[in-house]
Amino acid sequence: MHSLSPSELSILLLEPSETQRKIIMSRLQQEGVTSIQTATTLAEAKAIITRHKPDLIASALHFTDGEATDLLMYIKQKPEFQDIQFMLVSSECRREQLEIFRQSGVVAILPKPFNADHLARALNSTIDLISHDELDLSHFDVHNLRVLVVDDSRMARNVIKRTIGNLGIQIITEAEDGAQAIELMQHNMYDLVITDYNMPSVDGLALTQYIRNESQQSHIPILMVSSEANDTHLSNVSSAGVNALCDKPFEPNLVKQILYKLLEE
């Protein structure tokens, strides 16, 4: 499979400050990116996207005509733009301000100033998301893997589906929360559960406890996705029987490695 290189990526850089634009552009060029369009407002960005769809939008947080979230929602809601990847570049570090970006599946949240390593990882994640690189498993045919994806956010489920779909996984069932997942598991068999931690009614922890202690499928691998991987959560979920934990936004390559490990062992 031919993997793209950064030089084949087309990027829209959305940044109101001229100084910041120049810095980020030179960083992108150092990583080998050659196709970069720039915009300073959301309106300008929307016009550019309509004319020429980029692979990745690298965006600041605040603009004279709105916030980065407005543009993120705009591309997520239009089917023709849903495969545009989104990366936030911001000095904002308050968790609650960034949570919406984590939940909606941005490819990376880069701090200002960011280093070359941050940027290279974000570009590689973008490449992983737009190239298809199937999991090569010895015990399973990846096309026959039955995966249950549990998350109360439809956007988050779409991100997970796209990420694992790129790895060749085709049989994906969705549940909106742990209660729906339990209902589904009572009637269907799965090879893997990918679940969010925070959900109303039955959360990821309770779902894990149900699977391990009460279900017919107590040995199934469970990958938990959480945007707040603090130590207490971690010890709770691992003692409950989660096999692997992944942060939001998650990197496709990391997901691939985790799945490989879970399904090969």
Side-chain angles (χ1 to χ4, degrees):
M1 160 75 212
H2 162 67
S3 184
L4 294 170
S5 73
S7 64
E8 295 167 83
L9 286 177
S10 101
I11 293 187
L12 170 59
L13 171 59
L14 188 50
E15 169 59 73
S17 143
E18 192 183 347
T19 314
Q20 286 291 337
R21 257 199 327 280
K22 285 181 175 160
I23 293 172
I24 297 170
M25 271 186 82
S26 75
R27 288 299 186 77
L28 286 166
Q29 286 159 347
Q30 283 163 13
E31 292 297 326
V33 178
T34 48
S35 168
I36 307 170
Q37 302 182 84
T38 59
T40 57
T41 65
L42 298 179
E44 216 181 317
K46 287 177 186 174
I48 290 174
I49 294 167
T50 310
R51 285 199 310 272
H52 172 79
K53 195 171 87 175
D55 296 314
L56 171 67
I57 296 173
S59 174
L61 190 52
H62 307 291
F63 301 92
T64 51
D65 57 346
E67 303 283 306
T69 37
D70 305 339
L71 184 64
L72 184 59
M73 295 308 146
Y74 176 78
I75 63 171
K76 294 284 180 193
Q77 279 155 8
K78 290 194 178 292
E80 67 271 30
F81 297 147
Q82 278 179 357
D83 51 354
I84 299 177
Q85 303 306 320
F86 197 97
M87 167 166 96
L88 184 70
V89 184
S90 171
S91 49
E92 175 61 71
C93 47
R94 282 173 300 173
R95 224 188 151 88
E96 59 280 11
Q97 296 293 106
L98 298 175
E99 189 62 15
I100 173 105
F101 293 98
R102 286 204 165 80
Q103 296 294 352
S104 61
V106 295
V107 68
I109 298 176
L110 292 193
K112 277 182 187 171
F114 55 83
N115 62 34
D117 188 40
H118 285 142
L119 184 59
R121 285 209 344 239
L123 293 175
N124 286 333
S125 289
T126 304
I127 289 169
D128 289 340
L129 281 166
I130 58 184
S131 12
H132 295 264
D133 186 11
E134 291 201 348
L135 270 179
D136 185 14
L137 301 168
S138 43
H139 306 306
F140 291 99
D141 174 352
V142 70
H143 299 156
N144 298 335
L145 270 181
R146 297 157 302 177
V147 180
L148 178 61
V149 173
V150 193
D151 199 307
D152 54 314
S153 149
R154 187 172 59 95
M155 222 163 4
R157 291 198 305 275
N158 286 343
V159 175
I160 295 171
K161 282 193 315 190
R162 193 171 61 218
T163 307
I164 65 176
N166 278 355
L167 299 174
I169 292 172
Q170 296 169 356
I171 308 168
I172 302 172
T173 307
E174 295 178 62
E176 290 174 13
D177 59 24
Q180 197 180 1
I182 289 171
E183 171 76 16
L184 282 163
M185 290 190 77
Q186 284 163 350
H187 305 286
N188 305 280
M189 298 298 285
Y190 299 100
D191 301 302
L192 171 68
V193 174
I194 300 179
T195 177
D196 189 23
Y197 180 90
N198 274 329
M199 292 180 290
S201 73
V202 178
D203 67 7
L205 184 60
L207 172 61
T208 301
Q209 288 163 335
Y210 165 81
I211 293 171
R212 292 292 178 248
N213 304 322
E214 296 171 55
S215 84
Q216 302 296 304
Q217 309 176 55
S218 58
H219 298 307
I220 190 170
I222 301 171
L223 166 59
M224 186 168 284
V225 182
S226 169
S227 62
E228 43 182 282
N230 68 39
D231 296 344
T232 323
H233 279 167
L234 295 187
S235 58
N236 284 345
V237 296
S238 51
S239 62
V242 165
N243 302 85
L245 200 84
C246 206
D247 242 353
K248 286 181 185 177
F250 53 67
E251 297 173 22
N253 198 26
L254 178 65
V255 173
K256 186 177 181 182
Q257 288 167 16
I258 290 173
L259 293 186
Y260 194 78
K261 216 171 123 203
L262 290 183
L263 299 167
E264 287 294 83
E265 280 176 1

